[in-house]
Amino acid sequence: MSKHLIMFEHQGASGIETTDAPEFTSHENMPGWKARAVEDAGIFMFQFEIEPGAVEYPIHTSDEAWLAFVASGHGTLYAGDAEENRTEGVRYQAGDFITFKPNTPHGWLNGNEKSLILIVKPA
């Protein structure tokens, strides 16, 4: 099991608290998509683990800005419109950063290997 290590300051020195990190769970009944999240230090971090052959994540929006990092894998990120139609797509791969401005329709289709994507926003 993964750990959540929490560094803190106490009387001029640092300390470390160890707790269990959240487990991956199926994401919104989307076959092939698993997720887990942690909120701490004013940041919300979301982690996607996407299997090869996972269903396409449909076009959707968020009213908040997000920043993503593709830690491994590849696939296609789709732009969309208000009716949830795809308008264009671009390939993403390991090492890419992706910014989602507020209210921008987007969707995902994973490639032929497992992908790991980290997504953060202010809490």
Side-chain angles (χ1 to χ4, degrees), residues 72-116:
S72 64
H74 62 88
T76 303
L77 175 66
Y78 291 104
D81 63 21
E83 285 78 43
E84 299 179 357
N85 298 304
R86 288 190 206 162
T87 56
E88 64 180 295
V90 66
R91 180 181 162 92
Y92 65 83
Q93 63 188 19
D96 287 349
F97 290 92
I98 304 167
T99 297
F100 299 92
K101 302 284 184 168
N103 304 308
T104 55
H106 62 281
W108 306 80
L109 182 61
N110 195 47
N112 60 0
E113 61 184 78
K114 184 184 283 190
S115 290
L116 184 63

